[in-house]
């Protein structure tokens, strides 16, 4: 099932193949890799991002799964890959969509009416109830200014709500006990809604989190930055409006898979990126950047006959819990899994306040190694940055992106990352430039994650990194897997599963 492309998007689809037109041909591995890297230009990668941005703009500023915006993204990627000569498969699957019908609202109604920005200043909590409430805000045992170290017990005990007026909106500070405990105590005290705000220490001031508060909470629950909470608490008698129009339903989304028509069927080199965005924004860094980098590398690789088969996955449902990649791997036979030599993942490779990060495949920094071969992939990415005179750091291999299903199946994995919601340090700013004290991506999961939210240098450099490793492994995976006998490669032992997309509990 395909959605119709508008004239502008159709033109983009038709023009894009001009950058990779040509017949696949044999070449020496070293020459092929050099040619591939030269052909993968940042400006051409960005063209794909511009198309995704146009799709978002034309469809409610989102490319979330189960919408026309996502389906047009799927069609664009599938179309250019087919034109490049790949065997393309569209893999549908059902999922539980959880979002909203209209964007959530947080407004101060008095004194001095003011609307706060969804996502960048506040976000709804997933288990929150649907509802609209206008009432007085009542701070509950908040500590302002905040203590020097995290330690607020706001809302942790039922006694904190002594004197709480039923029907008011409870304003609670993040602190030592679980979010679920704070919300349960507020509900028991008769709160009509709950606003939890960050405690206020450096690093906990503006960081956006998705609190775990249990299920079937009977009132709307929002989480805000420290700045918003501090503002609401500073004036007694402040009233606010909160509104959350929750939507939960079954939907269908899709993976896009593209495979070369040449190369060793028993030794498949695979790269992937998630294609979907969150509902609040079009997701051009998260993860149009990874999608664009992988897509352009695939298009340019179509010009080279490689020894190994190459396969590219563009995953749906990542933002709902890595659903697409999990679905794909779960539906492979053991023999099909054994044929995948390695998997490379690219999720957010052009953050505007970037660092260059390589997944910690050997576990020497964070203590969670990948399957055998992952350490070599990490070394190869490190060697790429070193060859460019660039510094890098390790990124935790913690299962938060689509590599999780592959490494859980014992397939060597690796990839790149440029940072999301965490705050850049002074030391990192000295190394990579940018601004200390703000997030690597201030528009992470926000409406402003548009084409303006991309760092062109990081996009260009990391697309070359994708090309370098994919090109190298497309001719030989011996460094990763060892010299193999004829027949399917044997996967390494499966590692312990790591929960992806975890929720903060305190």
């Amino acid at each position: 099932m395909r959605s119709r492309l508008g004239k502008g998007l159709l033109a983009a689809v038709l023009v894009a193949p001009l950058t990779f037109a040509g017949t696949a041909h044999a070449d020496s591995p070293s020459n092929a890799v050099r040619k591939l890297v030269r052909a993968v230009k940042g400006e051409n990668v960005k063209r794909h991002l511009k198309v995704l941005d146009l799709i978002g703009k034309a469809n409610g500023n989102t490319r979330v799964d189960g919408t026309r915006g996502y389906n047009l993204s799927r069609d664009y990627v599938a179309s250019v890959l087919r034109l490049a000569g790949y065997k393309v498969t569209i893999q549908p699957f059902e999922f539980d969509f959880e979002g909203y019908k209209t964007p959530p609202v947080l407004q101060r109604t008095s004194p001095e009416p003011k609307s706060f920005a969804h996502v960048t200043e506040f976000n709804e909590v997933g288990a929150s109830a649907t509802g609209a409430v206008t009432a007085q805000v009542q701070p509950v045992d908040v500590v302002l200014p905040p203590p020097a170290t995290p330690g607020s017990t706001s809302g942790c005990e039922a006694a904190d709500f002594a004197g709480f007026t039923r029907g008011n909106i409870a304003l609670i500070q993040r602190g030592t006990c679980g979010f679920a405990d704070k919300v349960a105590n507020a509900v028991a005290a008769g709160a009509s809604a709950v606003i939890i705000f960050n405690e206020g220490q450096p690093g906990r001031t503006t960081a956006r989190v998705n609190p775990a508060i249990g299920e079937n909470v009977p009132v709307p629950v929002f989480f805000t930055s420290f700045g918003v909470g501090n503002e609401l608490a500073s004036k007694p008698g402040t009233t606010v409006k909160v509104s959350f129009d929750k939507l939960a339903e079954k939907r269908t989304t899709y993976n896009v898979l593209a495979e070369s028509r040449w190369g060793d069927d028993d030794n498949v080199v695979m790269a992937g990126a998630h294609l979907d965005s969150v509902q609040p924004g079009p997701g051009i860094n998260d993860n149009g950047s990874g999608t664009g980098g992988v897509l352009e590398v695939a298009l340019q690789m179509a010009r080279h006959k490689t020894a190994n088969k190459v396969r590219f996955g563009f995953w749906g449902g990542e933002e709902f819990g890595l659903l697409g990649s999990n679905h794909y791997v779960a539906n492979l036979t053991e023999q099909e899994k054994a044929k995948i030599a390695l998997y490379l993942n690219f999720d957010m490779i052009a953050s505007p306040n970037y660092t260059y990060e390589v997944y910690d495949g050997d576990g020497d920094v964070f203590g969670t190694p990948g399957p055998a071969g992952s350490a070599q992939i990490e070394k190869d990415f490190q060697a790429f940055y070193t060859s460019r005179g660039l510094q890098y750091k390790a990124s935790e291999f913690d299962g938060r992106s689509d590599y999780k299903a592959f490494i859980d199946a014992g397939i060597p994995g690796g990839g790149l990352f440029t940072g999301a919601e965490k705050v850049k340090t002074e030391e990192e700013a000295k190394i990579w430039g940018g601004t200390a004290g703000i997030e690597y991506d201030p528009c992470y999961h926000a409406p402003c994650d548009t084409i303006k939210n991309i760092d062109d240098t990081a996009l260009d450099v990391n697309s070359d990194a994708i090309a370098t490793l994919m090109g190298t492994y497309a001719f030989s995976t011996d460094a990763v897997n060892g010299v193999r006998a004829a027949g399917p490669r044997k996967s390494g032992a499966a590692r312990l599963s790591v929960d992806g997309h975890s929720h903060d509990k305190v």
Side-chain angles (χ1 to χ4, degrees), residues 13 39 59 90 96 101 103 118 128 157 169 173 283 290 355 394 404 408 414 417 425 438 443 445 449-450:
V13 171
N59 293 279
I90 306 297
D96 293 318
K101 297 176 185 177
H118 182 219
S128 171
E157 304 291 339
I169 296 173
Q173 194 171 17
T355 55
K404 180 180 185 295
D408 283 353
F417 182 51
T425 67
I438 67 170
C443 289
H445 283 187
D449 188 10
T450 67

Side-chain angles (χ1 to χ4, degrees), residues 123-146:
N123 57 267
E124 72 283 4
V125 176
S128 171
T130 293
V133 176
T134 300
Q136 185 172 313
V137 169
Q138 186 168 345
V140 178
D141 195 27
V142 302
V143 181
L144 297 172

Side-chain angles (χ1 to χ4, degrees), residues 258-283:
E259 184 174 271
S260 64
R261 298 180 187 274
W262 55 85
D264 185 351
D265 288 326
D266 289 332
N267 209 50
V268 179
V269 175
M270 194 165 183
H274 76 85
L275 183 57
D276 60 327
S277 75
V278 292
Q279 189 173 7

